[in-house]
């Protein structure tokens, strides 16, 4: 436990920043007995961006590739936050070099690649996990606890949507997010989140039906220069076809419940709206990422004339918050960024063998299952909504 832990993040874009900052936050959460942490490197093919980000967050240096990270003896823990199609090569190379790896979701660009990565993870001596970050959202985790402890009871029906608008503007530049096979667009980007949230609350998805995929904006112009995240930038005169889905919808069957899920990247006015309702034997609950410091709960007790949803302000009695924020009182703001700190802390605790005070991150096998759900949606959509069993 006296050894320092060297940390690197591959990918300096929007999601990468959340991992980079999350590792900085991790040792400040709860009563920390982590060993000393070294923030060694930020890696990105855009080395100028990597250098700026490394300076901003106090990492020691910038690197240009995952190969440099794998070869660096000072690095023990690595987050992989790059385009999905590059995940397999980087993750397998890092595991072979003995690094502990936390990979962003979805695990890969194809199910076959994800399965190969899971095999590599099972054969590795180091820890390999995939980031299902919304499991650590205090409101979502609290609702899961209320289901598990019987307060809400058995789940009967789940209804969820994840609407984003980063692709709504036709002037948004072409990027890797708009390239790839059917299902690699909005479905993979935000549908992967919604699918594991649904399973977190309602149990494993057994089948998919009614799959729909559609592309609303079929052509986009290439950027004239480098792009970070979803930025609007100067466009070139060259356009390319959009290859994947702007919108997806599907129904699911759990062991004891049904559900409907809808995702979009062209939902104007919704920069980042993950919202759901879960209906149970003893009541219901709903959550919106637009108001992450609260949940709404309805319990079927008392006279019907006064029964209905009530707002619960989240605080120190709820999941992740007690000791996990400088101010853990109800009404003090927190949101999606905080979940990356909890995620990083859980990963570091596991790597260092500190026990499971926090739930561990998802395994690569869970990442494969998530990909199987997405693949079932694609198969259903290709067959006029036909039911596909997992």
């Amino acid at each position: 436990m006296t050894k320092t832990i060297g940390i690197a993040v591959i990918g300096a874009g929007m999601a990468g920043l959340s991992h980079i900052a999350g590792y900085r936050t991790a040792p400040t959460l709860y009563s920390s007995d982590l060993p000393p942490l070294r923030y060694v490197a930020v890696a990105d093919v855009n080395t100028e961006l990597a250098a700026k980000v490394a300076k901003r967050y106090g990492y020691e240096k910038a690197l240009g590739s995952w190969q440099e990270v794998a070869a660096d003896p000072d690095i023990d823990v690595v987050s992989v936050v790059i385009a999905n199609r590059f995940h397999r090569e980087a993750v397998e190379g890092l595991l072979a070099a003995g690094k502990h790896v936390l990979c962003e979701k979805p695990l890969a660009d194809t199910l076959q690649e994800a399965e190969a990565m899971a095999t590599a993870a099972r054969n590795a001596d180091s820890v390999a996990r995939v980031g299902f970050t919304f499991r650590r959202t205090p409101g979502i985790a609290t609702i899961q606890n209320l289901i598990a402890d019987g307060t809400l009871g058995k789940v009967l029906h789940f209804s969820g949507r994840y609407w984003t608008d980063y692709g709504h503007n036709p002037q948004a530049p072409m990027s890797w997010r708009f390239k790839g096979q059917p299902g690699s667009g909005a479905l993979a980007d935000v549908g992967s989140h919604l699918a594991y949230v649904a399973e977190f609350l309602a149990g494993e998805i057994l089948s998919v039906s009614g799959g729909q995929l559609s592309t609303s904006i079929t052509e986009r112009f290439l950027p004239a220069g480098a792009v970070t995240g979803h930025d609007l930038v100067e466009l070139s005169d060259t356009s390319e076809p959009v290859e994947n889905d702007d919108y997806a919808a599907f129904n699911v069957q759990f062991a004891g419940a049904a559900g409907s899920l809808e995702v979009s990247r062209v939902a104007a006015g919704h920069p980042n709206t993950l919202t759901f309702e879960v209906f149970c034997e003893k009541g219901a609950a709903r959550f919106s990422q637009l108001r992450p410091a609260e949940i709404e709960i309805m319990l079927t007790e008392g006279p019907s004339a006064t029964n209905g949803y009530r707002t619960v302000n989240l605080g120190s009695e709820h999941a992740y918050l007690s000791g996990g924020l400088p101010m853990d009182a109800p009404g003090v703001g927190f949101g999606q960024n905080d979940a990356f700190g909890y995620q990083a802390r859980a990963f570091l605790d596991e790597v260092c063998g500190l026990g499971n005070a926090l739930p561990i991150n998802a395994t690569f096998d869970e990442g494969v299952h998530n990909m199987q759900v997405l693949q079932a949606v694609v198969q259903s959509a290709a067959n006029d909504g036909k039911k596909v069993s997992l």
Side-chain angles (χ1 to χ4, degrees):
M1 288 298 299
T2 58
K3 180 184 182 296
T4 62
I5 301 296
I7 297 170
V9 175
I10 303 173
M14 183 177 67
L17 292 176
S18 297
H19 283 251
I20 290 162
Y23 284 117
R24 273 296 189 186
T25 302
T28 73
L29 301 174
Y30 316 108
S31 297
S32 180
D33 50 0
L34 288 169
L37 303 179
R38 285 187 60 197
Y39 299 93
V40 179
V42 174
D44 198 283
V45 292
N46 184 341
T47 53
E48 182 179 350
L49 175 63
K52 289 179 180 179
V53 170
K55 180 179 179 180
R56 175 182 174 184
Y57 287 98
Y59 283 65
E60 296 171 9
K61 58 189 174 184
L63 300 174
S65 68
W66 70 260
Q67 290 91 340
E68 292 177 76
V69 173
D72 194 324
D74 291 333
I75 295 171
D76 306 289
V77 168
V78 185
S79 275
V80 175
V81 199
I82 51 180
N84 303 336
R85 65 181 181 272
F86 300 130
H87 283 185
R88 179 183 177 183
E89 179 187 24
V91 167
E92 290 183 349
L94 292 163
L95 290 176
K99 311 300 185 185
H100 303 285
V101 178
L102 178 61
C103 184
E104 254 300 333
K105 63 82 228 162
L107 196 56
D109 211 25
T110 69
L111 179 57
Q112 293 72 23
E113 289 180 333
E115 290 170 339
M117 292 167 67
T119 298
R122 287 191 294 271
N123 293 331
D125 294 327
S126 51
V127 178
R129 296 286 182 255
V130 60
F132 285 180
T133 315
F134 279 109
R135 286 183 179 179
R136 308 207 182 261
T137 298
I140 297 175
T142 294
I143 291 172
Q144 196 275 338
N145 289 342
L146 293 173
I147 293 169
D149 69 12
T151 301
L152 288 168
K154 177 185 174 183
V155 175
L156 305 177
H157 173 215
F158 176 90
S159 177
R161 64 178 183 262
Y162 199 153
W163 289 345
T164 64
D165 65 2
Y166 68 84
H168 174 260
N169 190 333
Q171 298 304 304
M174 176 59 72
S175 74
W176 65 269
R177 293 185 184 275
F178 301 108
K179 292 290 188 180
Q181 60 191 1
S184 65
L187 180 64
D189 190 13
V190 292
S192 53
H193 280 306
L194 189 57
Y196 73 68
V197 167
E199 292 193 308
F200 186 52
L201 300 173
E204 185 175 343
I205 292 172
L206 303 181
S207 66
V208 167
S209 62
Q212 299 179 58
L213 300 174
S214 67
T215 305
S216 305
I217 299 172
T218 58
E219 199 88 6
R220 293 188 183 274
F221 286 93
L222 295 171
V227 182
T228 301
H230 303 315
D231 291 349
L232 295 177
V233 297
E234 182 182 353
L235 301 176
S236 71
D237 296 328
T238 303
S239 66
E240 292 183 351
V242 173
E243 297 176 352
N244 52 27
D245 41 291
D246 288 331
Y247 170 88
F250 55 104
N251 300 317
V252 299
Q253 185 66 51
F254 308 98
S260 59
L261 289 75
E262 181 188 38
V263 299
S264 176
R265 64 187 182 194
V266 291
H270 290 274
N272 188 45
T273 304
L274 168 64
T275 184
F276 64 80
E277 289 189 75
V278 57
F279 304 96
C280 306
E281 287 181 319
K282 298 179 182 179
R286 60 191 179 199
F287 170 85
S288 173
Q289 184 61 29
L290 298 176
R291 302 177 69 88
E294 65 185 41
I295 57 175
E296 292 182 275
I297 298 292
M298 182 269 183
L299 296 175
T300 50
E301 56 188 24
S304 60
T306 57
N307 207 347
Y309 272 107
R310 65 179 183 268
T311 299
V312 176
N313 292 316
L314 299 173
S316 57
E317 294 180 293
H318 300 104
Y320 288 97
L321 295 179
S322 181
L325 292 174
M327 296 174 63
D328 55 15
V332 176
F334 58 86
Q336 188 170 348
N337 281 294
D338 298 287
F340 285 90
Y342 304 137
Q343 174 177 280
R345 177 58 191 269
F347 190 54
L348 291 170
D349 281 354
E350 185 180 12
V351 166
C352 296
L354 297 180
N356 296 325
L358 295 177
I360 65 171
N361 287 287
T363 66
F364 274 29
D365 288 327
E366 290 177 276
V368 169
H369 174 72
N370 184 251
M371 293 284 296
Q372 289 171 335
V373 172
L374 304 184
Q375 184 62 36
V377 177
V378 174
Q379 291 173 356
S380 176
N383 289 278
D384 297 321
K386 182 180 178 181
K387 178 180 175 180
V388 178
S389 298
L390 278 77

